[in-house]
Amino acid sequence: MGPSQKRHGNCLLPSTTPSPRFSIPMPSPPSPNPVRFNLSRWFAAVALFSITALAVAIGALVNHFVTQRLLWQEALLTTEFVQSLVRMDESLQGYLADPSRGLDSETEKAFVHIAALPDMLRANVYDPRRKVIWSSDPQLMGRVFGPNLELDTALAGHVVTHIAEPSRAQSGKAEHQGLRHPESVFVELYVPVLDARGGRVQGVIEFYKNPKALFVALKQLRVYIALGAAASGVVLFVALFALVHGADLTIRRQQRQIVENETLAIIGEMSTAVAHGIRNPLATIRSSAELIQGGDLAQAHDAAADIVAQSDRLEVWVRELLAYTRPLDEAPAPVALQPLVVRCLADFQREMQRRNIRGHMVLLDDLPCVRGDALLLRQVLSSLMSNAIEALDREGTITVRGTCARGQRQVTLSVEDSGPGMTPTQLRRAGKPFHTTKTRGLGVGLALARRVIERFGGRMEIASTPGRGTTVRLHMPAA
């Protein structure tokens, strides 16, 4: 025995301190059960986000389209008025054709009439050389301003209109300076003026307007578009959610039916396993009872021992079957592993001594608690120890090892034996219900262990090599 170990019954325990020392964290509130995928809840979240984003995008596009259409309609009405006025006024035609002849009173009167249109802020008249030949602001007359893409487009014969902001009017184009504009926005409109034949652009009239009625209509329209988009989104969301929620309920109902069908199938397998398993012990019990009736005292003692052994065997099978079939509804709670392992090794101490099997426990002193149920975890550990002992049969070593990983968030408890191991085929089938390589088992021990560990958010791994033993690792979340 090494200097760093001491014997606990037939188990070797770490002896770095006079007695086993471990740290148990203060109990915290039980962790909630592992969250299951909720189709209705996830669809509600994703659909709400998607439909909201889609409704906002469609509302913005419709608002932009309607705004541009109304502005364009306003621009066409103003353009038709200006063109009609120019065609009817010969003085305007003459001045626009040759601004150098001077501005007479009739032409001035016509321009003032144009500038007096409703909601007008300013009117500028440009010749083809981009020079202001008349303006409602006398300070601008005779000036030529810098680059202006809208003016160039209008001189090419196209009507241009858009909404301008006050900040743009103050710091944008030079011709905007000194413009008295509203606090919100205004409309900038460029109307090309054609000659009497309608073929050549004689100039461009630039309007700055504040169409309050148009802006009020646009504001109301935006409200209607927003309400319509919201109502459409709500109707679409409710319809889709109702459809998906109904599908979710149907899926859950079908899942319950599948579970019930699987339960019935398991009951059938169970009945077959119990029928085959109980037949031999009952035959042994009957034969032993007959020997007791007609045999001597020595035979009676042996027969009674057989009856006790077979009865214990049946009791173990019944206990395993009941444990496997009952629902696992226990709420998870912090469970300290070191006392659990010590108790389990003590329970199997006489059996290991009888078979000459050595037991070792290698646990960290500060091994954290795990999330689970103490009784179920003890049953899992007992099942793994029983499997390891039966795999060794005679002589060998069993090591129970406890480690931490992922920054103390996961605890790994492993049961290692030095037995004959399993073939790849046996390893693939290990842990499936009612599959066993033992002559005295039903094949529910590993299946129950996997079920319990997964129930509490962990997982079970089995590693085995022929001739080199088997290791079962239980990865469990720390409490």
Side-chain angles (χ1 to χ4, degrees), residues 309-329:
Q310 296 302 325
S311 299
D312 291 341
R313 180 180 173 187
L314 290 176
E315 193 274 334
V316 169
W317 285 357
V318 172
R319 187 171 64 248
E320 287 185 351
L321 288 173
L322 292 177
Y324 183 75
T325 55
R326 71 184 179 91
L328 302 178
D329 295 330

Side-chain angles (χ1 to χ4, degrees), residues 157-402:
H158 304 287
V159 178
V160 180
T161 182
H162 64 89
I163 295 179
E165 299 179 359
S167 58
R168 181 178 177 184
Q170 294 174 356
S171 60
K173 301 176 184 177
E175 59 266 32
H176 287 169
Q177 296 179 2
L179 176 66
R180 295 190 302 273
H181 54 78
E183 295 181 356
S184 55
V185 292
F186 62 93
V187 175
E188 190 173 5
L189 172 62
Y190 294 84
V191 178
V193 180
L194 307 179
D195 57 14
R197 297 179 180 178
R200 185 175 63 87
V201 177
Q202 292 181 319
V204 172
I205 302 179
E206 179 186 26
F207 297 99
Y208 297 100
K209 303 179 66 176
N210 181 25
K212 296 180 181 179
L214 176 62
F215 288 155
V216 170
L218 288 175
K219 185 177 180 180
Q220 293 177 347
L221 188 61
R222 291 190 184 99
V223 173
Y224 294 146
I225 291 174
L227 292 177
S232 301
V234 169
V235 171
L236 181 61
F237 174 80
V238 171
L240 292 179
F241 180 79
L243 179 63
V244 173
H245 184 64
D248 187 21
L249 294 179
T250 302
I251 291 173
R252 293 185 182 183
R253 187 163 52 250
Q254 292 175 347
Q255 286 179 337
R256 287 194 294 268
Q257 292 176 353
I258 291 174
V259 171
E260 291 175 359
N261 294 337
E262 290 180 350
T263 302
L264 292 176
I266 290 176
I267 291 175
E269 295 182 11
M270 222 184 259
S271 302
T272 303
V274 170
H276 286 285
I278 290 180
R279 181 183 301 170
N280 291 335
L282 288 178
T284 303
I285 291 173
R286 180 178 177 84
S287 300
S288 300
E290 291 176 349
L291 287 176
I292 291 176
Q293 290 177 346
D296 56 19
L297 185 59
Q299 289 179 334
H301 280 295
D302 292 339
D306 288 339
I307 291 175
V308 172
Q310 296 302 325
S311 299
D312 291 341
R313 180 180 173 187
L314 290 176
E315 193 274 334
V316 169
W317 285 357
V318 172
R319 187 171 64 248
E320 287 185 351
L321 288 173
L322 292 177
Y324 183 75
T325 55
R326 71 184 179 91
L328 302 178
D329 295 330
E330 291 81 0
V335 178
L337 289 179
Q338 187 157 353
L340 208 66
V341 174
V342 171
R343 176 68 180 274
C344 184
L345 289 175
D347 290 342
F348 285 95
Q349 178 180 347
R350 295 187 62 183
E351 180 70 15
M352 290 191 295
Q353 286 179 342
R354 187 174 65 83
R355 296 173 182 252
N356 196 23
I357 296 175
R358 298 179 301 278
H360 299 271
M361 184 180 72
V362 184
L363 301 181
L364 296 177
D365 290 340
D366 58 347
L367 192 67
C369 296
V370 297
R371 188 177 65 186
D373 179 83
L375 294 177
L376 291 175
L377 291 179
R378 179 182 172 187
Q379 188 171 9
V380 168
L381 188 58
S382 297
S383 178
L384 298 182
M385 285 292 299
S386 177
N387 288 344
I389 291 173
E390 292 199 23
L392 289 173
D393 192 21
R394 296 286 178 181
E395 299 185 352
T397 303
I398 297 176
T399 303
V400 181
R401 195 183 307 275

Side-chain angles (χ1 to χ4, degrees), residues 13-184:
L13 304 177
S15 59
T16 54
T17 58
S19 61
R21 181 168 56 90
F22 50 91
S23 173
I24 302 178
M26 293 297 293
S28 57
S31 303
N33 295 337
V35 178
R36 297 180 180 179
F37 181 77
N38 190 315
L39 178 61
S40 298
R41 184 180 304 169
W42 275 100
F43 175 81
V46 174
L48 182 62
F49 174 79
S50 303
I51 292 176
T52 301
L54 185 61
V56 170
I58 292 177
L61 290 175
V62 172
N63 176 65
H64 176 75
F65 174 77
V66 173
T67 300
Q68 294 302 318
R69 292 298 299 177
L70 291 180
L71 285 177
W72 185 248
Q73 186 67 27
E74 178 80 10
L76 288 181
L77 292 176
T78 304
T79 301
E80 291 177 358
F81 170 78
V82 170
Q83 295 292 0
S84 300
L85 183 62
V86 171
R87 283 196 299 268
M88 294 173 58
D89 196 323
E90 294 182 357
S91 63
L92 278 178
Q93 296 179 21
Y95 182 72
L96 290 173
D98 184 14
S100 62
R101 73 178 191 176
L103 185 67
D104 56 24
S105 59
E106 292 295 329
T107 306
E108 177 72 22
K109 185 177 179 180
F111 282 142
V112 171
H113 182 65
I114 292 175
L117 289 173
D119 303 321
M120 195 66 67
L121 299 176
R122 177 187 288 174
N124 298 326
V125 182
Y126 295 87
D127 65 7
R129 295 186 298 273
R130 304 163 55 96
K131 180 181 178 181
V132 179
I133 58 177
W134 186 88
S135 175
S136 58
D137 185 355
Q139 297 179 358
L140 302 181
M141 293 182 61
R143 298 183 59 179
V144 177
F145 297 101
N148 189 331
L149 181 60
E150 292 90 350
L151 178 59
D152 295 337
T153 304
L155 288 172
H158 304 287
V159 178
V160 180
T161 182
H162 64 89
I163 295 179
E165 299 179 359
S167 58
R168 181 178 177 184
Q170 294 174 356
S171 60
K173 301 176 184 177
E175 59 266 32
H176 287 169
Q177 296 179 2
L179 176 66
R180 295 190 302 273
H181 54 78
E183 295 181 356
S184 55

